[in-house]
Amino acid sequence: MKNISQPLLEEYQLGDLKLKNRVVMASLTRARAANPGLVPTAVMAEYYAQRASAGLILSEGTWVNPQSIGFINVPGIYTQEQVEGWKSVTKAVHDNGGLIFSQLGHIGAGAHPDLQNGELPVAPSAVNIQSQSFTPEGFKETVTPREMTVAEIHKTVQDYKKAAQNAKDAGFDGIEIHAIAGMLIPQFLSTAANQRTDEYGGSIENRSRIIFEILDAVAEVWESGRVAIKFSPVMLSSVGIVKPDEETIPLFKYILNKLDHYNLAFVHIVGPSEDLSGTPVEELQENYFAHFRNNYRGRILANLGFSKESANVILKEGNADLVSFGEPFIANPDLVERFKYNLPLSESDRNTYYSGEDNGYITYPKAVYSESYK
Ligand SMILES: Cc1cc2nc3c(=O)[nH]c(=O)nc-3n(C[C@H](O)[C@H](O)[C@H](O)COP(=O)(O)O)c2cc1C
């Protein structure tokens, strides 16, 4: 069997965790926790266990409290019942030799009264982010949220800490703070969505304050090497008014500089999905990940649109330490083996991304090895 040497398939020491390879499964919301308590199910445990040959799995985004809910049938990690459900997921992954971090998120202004018992969503400011919420009746336009009080921000930070503790109790190997466009944290970072005049608004330092408060809070539960954060600095079109602007580059320089002192497991960075020419972040277009490499001393997990080939290239070049794959894991539970044996990848069915019960969730088979793939 041909197994061309690939850095992607090398073992990797992530602090005290030994990853079997440098292939990370990125978080994928699949909306299969279709029960009133938003409790992870046995089918979810099977789904994750099927993908345990990844060096590390990042769970789907999970809610840190009821106000953070902004999508139907997505599990939470704020009740004891949910913790019990997650225990079966982490056990199934560990039994199959894998590692799994919990991704902790809050959708802020992306929520909808239909998901909040008729209450308005909470956000940094009362500004409609002009996006969409996935409600029980399908996608609906976002509404103008209610501005969080400072006390509510402090409480939310504590909810992240509690969720981090719950993740530990549930047997996760670490946590990733979900801060990609669409979520509460980037709404704080955004000059358009955050119009506060207190210590959480205005300057770059103030707008990013919540990140460090969350990281300081979860550090009371997890050692820093088991904590990660995921950003999408250049997401252009998918999340209404939360877009890169003139302050994005200095903002991320400031954040990364400060993160240098946190010794995190990694910073997970989503790349550009569109041409950045003519945008305020145009200068990031060329050698995108090198910009982050030059501004951050810790580990970088690179994401977006990677193939086996491009992932091996970025690892060889040294502009990332690990590479994550999202969509390819949907139809290829054995993605690592397919990379290893140079097997073709299966296409996923978008109709079953967020619905369809078992179908399109645990039904994708492993590849059948054929002599012709040698
Ligand atoms: C169905 C689906 C659900 C996703 N859910 C999440 C999520 O819960 N949290 C998150 O950080 N990213 C989520 N993403 C983004 C992926 O983690 C990843 O960043 C993106 O798919 C790009 O990687 P890829 O090109 O390898 O697919 C999701 C993507 C897809 C396709």
Side-chain angles (χ1 to χ4, degrees):
M1 260 182 268
K2 193 158 70 182
N3 177 10
I4 305 162
S5 158
Q6 305 185 50
L8 204 47
L9 301 179
E10 286 164 3
E11 277 184 358
Y12 186 79
Q13 198 68 40
L14 183 68
D16 62 339
L17 290 173
K18 182 173 274 185
L19 275 50
K20 290 174 293 197
N21 51 66
R22 295 158 89 180
V23 178
V24 176
M25 175 174 161
S27 296
L28 292 167
T29 290
R30 303 301 310 278
R32 280 354 192 243
N35 56 72
L38 303 177
V39 178
T41 65
V43 176
M44 286 171 55
E46 185 175 344
Y47 162 82
Y48 281 108
Q50 288 175 343
R51 287 153 180 81
S53 59
L56 174 66
I57 294 174
L58 301 170
S59 83
E60 61 211 278
T62 65
W63 312 121
V64 298
N65 62 23
Q67 290 75 37
S68 52
I69 301 172
F71 205 100
I72 60 163
N73 301 335
V74 170
I77 190 151
Y78 55 86
T79 69
Q80 194 50 40
E81 208 188 353
Q82 291 163 348
V83 172
E84 295 308 317
W86 283 117
K87 278 184 187 167
S88 62
V89 171
T90 60
K91 181 175 186 310
V93 170
H94 291 152
D95 286 351
N96 277 16
L99 293 168
I100 181 166
F101 278 23
S102 169
Q103 193 191 48
L104 307 181
H106 188 309
I107 209 159
H112 192 278
D114 291 4
L115 295 160
Q116 295 288 331
N117 297 320
E119 301 283 321
L120 286 178
V122 294
S125 299
V127 175
N128 188 333
I129 57 167
Q130 291 167 30
S131 184
Q132 291 196 316
S133 309
F134 194 9
T135 77
E137 292 165 17
F139 281 102
K140 287 193 180 176
E141 299 300 310
T142 50
V143 299
T144 300
R146 179 173 66 73
E147 178 173 311
M148 295 167 93
T149 63
V150 169
E152 280 176 313
I153 297 174
H154 293 167
K155 166 75 171 60
T156 302
V157 169
Q158 289 308 308
D159 289 342
Y160 273 89
K161 178 178 166 188
K162 181 70 172 52
Q165 180 63 56
N166 286 344
K168 196 168 215 185
D169 296 346
F172 281 99
D173 300 293
I175 54 170
E176 182 181 78
I177 306 298
H178 187 354
I180 73 168
M183 305 302 286
L184 180 71
I185 292 173
Q187 291 159 21
F188 270 93
L189 298 180
S190 160
T191 47
N194 180 351
Q195 299 183 351
R196 301 181 74 94
T197 52
D198 59 10
E199 67 268 38
Y200 292 98
S203 65
I204 283 178
E205 186 184 352
N206 283 353
R207 280 184 280 128
S208 55
R209 184 178 306 282
I210 192 167
I211 295 177
F212 301 101
E213 290 187 348
I214 290 170
L215 290 175
D216 290 339
V218 301
E220 292 173 36
V221 178
W222 289 95
E223 58 153 304
S224 58
R226 301 295 190 98
V227 176
I229 187 160
K230 182 177 184 188
F231 294 113
S232 61
V234 296
M235 210 173 267
L236 289 177
S237 58
S238 57
V239 197
I241 63 166
V242 181
K243 284 185 197 312
D245 59 27
E246 283 68 24
E247 293 212 4
T248 300
I249 292 177
L251 171 79
F252 275 94
K253 270 194 182 143
Y254 172 83
I255 293 173
L256 292 173
N257 234 303
K258 211 162 164 179
L259 286 179
D260 265 343
H261 305 291
Y262 276 79
N263 296 317
L264 298 179
F266 50 81
V267 173
H268 192 176
I269 296 176
V270 182
S273 58
E274 292 160 84
D275 186 0
L276 303 179
S277 323
T279 74
V281 286
E282 180 166 18
E283 69 179 85
L284 299 180
Q285 177 89 37
E286 291 292 313
N287 301 320
Y288 178 82
F289 288 100
H291 292 275
F292 296 94
R293 196 53 143 183
N294 295 336
N295 281 290
Y296 181 62
R297 277 186 293 218
R299 294 185 200 91
I300 290 183
L301 168 57
N303 173 253
L304 201 115
F306 279 94
S307 63
K308 178 183 72 174
E309 290 76 17
S310 59
N312 279 312
V313 168
I314 194 169
L315 293 177
K316 274 186 193 145
E317 286 174 353
N319 282 327
D321 303 285
L322 297 160
V323 180
S324 76
F325 298 83
E327 279 189 281
F329 263 108
I330 293 178
N332 300 282
D334 54 344
L335 188 66
V336 172
E337 289 77 9
R338 295 194 196 210
F339 287 164
K340 187 168 178 187
Y341 299 116
N342 211 20
L343 304 175
L345 299 191
S346 301
E347 285 295 314
S348 47
D349 175 6
R350 288 176 165 265
N351 295 318
T352 57
Y353 276 15
Y354 305 116
S355 62
E357 299 180 2
D358 294 1
N359 186 29
Y361 188 57
I362 52 165
T363 51
Y364 290 110
K366 288 184 176 179
V368 178
Y369 179 73
S370 152
E371 285 297 305
S372 63
Y373 295 142
K374 266 206 247 182

